[in-house]
């Protein structure tokens, strides 16, 4: 049985949308590209297209991306194309097709915390925060580690414009498949010296997590030996498991290699 | 529920169920160029334009399109004739099931090249069309035809 929707509403303010969401069986609609693959009944589907959370703009040191912006809106926005040499532009281009990215929303891609997500891993390697209407603003990492926030509305993604250089690597069985493991790495580039490393590993198959051990090693030195050591420590620190696609052991080994490649790409 | 769609330049009031996807509504309304291939967002056979941008009609709830403009292959008939000749000229069509979706994408691609969002290179064009699968041709003929048509060496 496909997704069944009993009632559809298009509120005109966040407040109204939030109140409606508190009803039993009410759910938010993003682009519905993923929601449609499930077979459940939504009693009240709430479409956020008129509540004014679809734009992308700058506030102080941050790029703010409204949760209802599509992945394509984000990908082609000048602020995104310019930041970190277009790192996010490239990452988004790996998320299947132009047609999918014209529908899928930023909120719908972050809120469910899917393990396979390329987008979440890539964002976790930057200085990013998410904002919910009631729960407020929090680090993306805290959001990913915490309990699912239910009956709330994600309003925006905040990307701090720290001068980072970043690299994203993934392994897939074919270009058409989801990532079997993915790694994103970034560092602050201060006149050629790389500091403040962030190392995120996703599709383990659990949702992306930071490797603090790898980050500590790279923050001390970034030579050949320490890059190898960072990969080794990351493999000990993070949990890798098996699923129908790959074994946990294989994922772990590939993640180590991708990490080394990503760090080498950042330092150039 | 009732929604209003501007389909190929004409406003229409359409009766839908809130669970209906745009693909099924369009086919019910007689726009049969819109094909149901995978029905999971993967193959691109159901591609239409919403407010000028290509989307997957199988993955888009019809209700969310209320008040929006939809263009199907029927709405760009002149261009379709050109594209059909171009594909046939390179032997790039077999069953033809994927062709309307591909041609709607080609129409969108030309616009994106014109406004500088997509570069006119083989690599960028391939990436733009990655979501249009074809079971028959192996893509070589389609690529040859499209590259030649767009003047890409
Ligand atoms: C064919 C195909 C290929 C794909 N390939 C990739 C890939 O290569 N890499 C990758 O990372 N992903 C991939 N995806 C996943 C894709 O990224 C998701 O389908 C998409 O991002 C979901 O966005 P959406 O807006 O359609 O979400 P929806 O399906 O609308 O929503 C998902 C969930 O989020 C909730 N939600 C949405 N917006 C909000 C909000 N503002 N506040 C609170 N809750 C909200 C909804 O209630 C729902 O539970 C693929 C999907 C498909 C169908
Ligand atoms: S039918 Fe929509 S993508 Fe295949
Ligand atoms: S020609 Fe048959 S699917 Fe493309």
């Amino acid at each position: 049985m496909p997704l069944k929707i009993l009632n559809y509403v298009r509120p005109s303010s966040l407040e109204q949308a939030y109140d409606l969401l508190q009803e039993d069986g009410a759910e938010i609609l993003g682009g519905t590209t993923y929601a449609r693959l499930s077979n459940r009944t939504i009693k009240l589907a709430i479409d956020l297209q008129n509540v004014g959370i679809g734009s992308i703009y700058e506030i102080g040191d941050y790029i703010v991306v409204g949760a209802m912006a599509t992945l394509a809106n984000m990908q082609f926005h000048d602020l995104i194309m310019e930041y970190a040499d277009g790192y996010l532009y490239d990452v988004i281009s790996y998320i299947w097709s132009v047609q999918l990215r014209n529908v899928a929303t930023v909120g719908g891609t972050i809120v469910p915390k899917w393990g396979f997500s390329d987008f979440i891993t890539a964002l976790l390697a930057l200085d990013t925060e998410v904002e919910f209407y009631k729960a407020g603003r929090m680090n993306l990492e805290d959001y990913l580690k915490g309990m699912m926030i239910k009956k709330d509305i994600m309003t925006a993604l905040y990307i701090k414009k720290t001068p980072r250089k970043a690299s994203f690597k993934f392994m897939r069985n074919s270009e058409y498949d989801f990532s079997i493991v993915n790694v994103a790495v970034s560092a602050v580039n201060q006149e050629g010296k790389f500091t403040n490393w962030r190392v995120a590993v996703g599709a383990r198959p659990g949702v992306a997590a930071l490797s603090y051990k790898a980050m500590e090693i790279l923050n001390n030195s970034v030579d050949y030996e320490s890059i190898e050591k960072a990969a080794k420590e990351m493999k000990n620190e993070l949990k890798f498991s098996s699923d129908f696609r790959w074994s946990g052991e294989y994922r772990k080994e590939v993640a180590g290699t991708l990490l080394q490649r990503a760090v080498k790409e950042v330092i150039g | 529920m009732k929604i209003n769609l501007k389909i190929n330049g004409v406003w229409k009031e359409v009766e839908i169920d809130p669970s209906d996807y745009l693909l099924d509504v369009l086919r019910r309304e007689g726009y049969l160029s819109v094909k149901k291939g995978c029905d999971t967002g993967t193959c691109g056979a159901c591609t239409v334009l919403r407010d000028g941008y290509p989307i997957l009609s199988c993955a888009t709830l019809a209700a969310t399109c209320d008040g929006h403009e939809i263009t199907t292959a029927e709405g760009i008939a002149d261009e379709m004739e050109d594209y059909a000749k171009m594909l046939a000229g390179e032997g790039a069509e077999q069953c033809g099931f994927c062709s309307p979706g591909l041609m709607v994408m080609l129409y969108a691609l030309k616009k994106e090249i014109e406004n500088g969002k997509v570069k006119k290179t083989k690599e960028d064009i391939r990436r733009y069309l990655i979501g249009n699968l074809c079971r028959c041709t192996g893509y070589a003929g389609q690529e040859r035809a499209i590259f030649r048509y767009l003047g890409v060496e």
Side-chain angles (χ1 to χ4, degrees):
Chain A
M1 197 187 76
L3 178 70
K4 178 89 190 141
I5 292 173
L6 302 184
N7 293 291
Y8 166 92
V9 276
R10 200 185 282 185
S12 51
S13 72
L14 265 174
E15 195 182 9
Q16 211 184 349
Y18 180 80
D19 287 346
L20 288 164
L21 183 59
Q22 306 318 306
E23 288 181 21
D24 180 42
E27 281 186 40
I28 298 294
L29 297 178
T32 67
T33 61
Y34 215 79
R36 87 174 301 287
L37 301 176
S38 63
N39 48 7
R40 62 184 199 282
T41 298
I42 300 179
K43 283 193 195 156
L44 182 64
I46 305 168
D47 182 344
L48 300 177
Q49 65 177 279
N50 285 350
V51 307
I53 53 166
S55 39
I56 301 172
Y57 52 95
E58 254 175 322
I59 288 186
D61 288 345
Y62 287 89
I63 302 171
V64 185
V65 184
M68 278 301 280
T70 64
L71 293 178
N73 293 150
M74 181 171 171
Q75 184 187 9
F76 287 106
H77 198 283
D78 288 343
L79 289 169
I80 297 296
M81 286 172 101
E82 278 158 22
Y83 178 60
D85 300 324
Y87 160 74
L88 287 172
Y89 169 89
D90 286 338
V91 172
I92 296 173
S93 76
Y94 298 127
I95 301 175
W96 191 224
S97 64
V98 172
Q99 298 98 307
L100 179 81
R101 300 193 295 267
N102 274 330
V103 185
T105 61
V106 168
T109 312
I110 295 175
V111 170
K113 307 187 196 182
W114 287 308
F116 63 74
S117 177
D118 296 311
F119 192 58
I120 290 179
T121 307
L123 291 175
L124 189 59
L126 303 176
D127 307 294
T128 40
E129 291 162 49
V130 289
E131 182 184 66
F132 283 78
Y133 181 63
K134 277 288 165 208
R137 203 162 141 178
M138 65 200 84
N139 284 330
L140 176 62
E141 189 191 10
D142 292 340
Y143 173 65
L144 297 177
K145 280 183 170 167
M147 300 284 278
M148 208 65 170
I149 297 182
K150 296 224 165 99
K151 294 283 181 190
D152 202 348
I153 300 171
M154 180 181 156
T155 49
L157 163 72
Y158 288 74
I159 305 166
K160 194 165 187 197
K161 290 191 295 169
T162 324
R164 285 187 174 274
K165 216 172 153 218
S167 170
F168 176 76
K169 303 278 173 207
F170 59 82
M171 182 65 100
R172 296 177 176 187
N173 278 336
S174 84
E175 196 155 2
Y176 304 116
D177 207 350
F178 289 113
S179 290
I180 288 160
V181 70
N182 55 33
V183 174
V185 156
S186 86
V188 177
N189 185 357
Q190 281 172 331
E191 289 153 20
K193 193 171 180 302
F194 292 99
T195 60
N196 207 342
W197 284 86
R198 284 178 76 88
V199 174
V201 185
R204 298 169 294 110
V207 73
L210 290 173
S211 168
Y212 282 96
K213 288 196 173 145
M215 282 151 56
E216 192 186 323
I217 292 165
L218 295 170
N219 281 333
N220 284 328
S221 73
V222 204
D223 53 24
Y224 189 79
E225 252 176 43
S226 37
I227 297 173
E228 267 195 352
K229 198 167 165 221
K232 195 171 157 224
E233 289 301 324
M234 177 277 290
K235 290 192 279 180
N236 289 332
E237 182 183 8
L238 298 181
K239 187 167 175 279
F240 292 85
S241 330
S242 306
D243 64 5
F244 68 97
R245 285 198 171 89
W246 266 13
S247 72
E249 277 306 299
Y250 197 35
R251 276 197 163 95
K252 188 191 280 196
E253 289 312 310
V254 173
T257 305
L258 296 182
L259 187 156
Q260 295 187 53
R261 286 186 193 163
V263 173
K264 285 175 190 166
E265 192 171 280
V266 168
I267 59 179
Chain B
M1 64 185 282
K2 282 190 168 53
I3 59 168
N4 288 292
L5 298 174
K6 189 175 182 186
I7 309 174
N8 299 332
V10 181
W11 280 105
K12 275 194 170 183
E13 191 182 69
V14 186
E15 180 70 41
I16 63 157
D17 183 277
S19 315
D20 280 345
Y21 281 87
L22 181 63
L23 165 65
D24 300 303
V25 171
L26 289 171
R27 286 189 63 82
R28 221 161 48 217
E29 291 294 313
Y31 302 93
L32 299 181
S33 72
V34 191
K35 304 293 185 212
K36 187 180 277 197
C38 63
D39 209 14
T40 62
T42 313
C43 75
C46 65
T47 303
V48 299
L49 305 181
R50 181 172 64 186
D51 303 328
Y53 293 96
I55 61 159
L56 301 169
S57 61
C58 76
T60 306
L61 274 179
T64 66
C65 298
D66 187 15
H68 292 268
E69 194 170 330
I70 305 296
T71 308
T72 68
E74 287 89 346
I76 47 171
D78 291 349
E79 287 85 353
M80 291 296 286
E81 211 174 310
D82 259 18
Y83 302 162
K85 278 189 198 138
M86 170 269 286
L87 287 176
E90 290 289 342
E93 204 176 45
Q94 288 183 31
C95 77
F97 194 76
C98 65
S99 300
L102 178 66
M103 294 191 213
V104 170
M105 271 312 269
L106 180 56
Y107 180 84
L109 169 65
K110 278 177 66 183
K111 293 232 151 98
E112 293 290 43
I113 290 175
E114 269 163 38
N115 63 30
K117 292 283 187 193
V118 177
K119 290 193 217 95
K120 209 161 111 176
T121 65
K122 286 187 177 175
E123 183 51 27
D124 283 48
I125 292 169
R126 269 191 203 113
R127 282 219 73 83
Y128 195 84
L129 299 174
I130 196 171
N132 291 81
L133 305 188
C134 172
R135 293 170 302 180
C136 310
T137 66
Y139 305 104
Q142 291 183 344
E143 277 195 4
R144 202 169 53 238
I146 290 169
F147 291 157
R148 175 171 291 185
Y149 176 76
L150 294 173
V152 182
E153 290 308 317

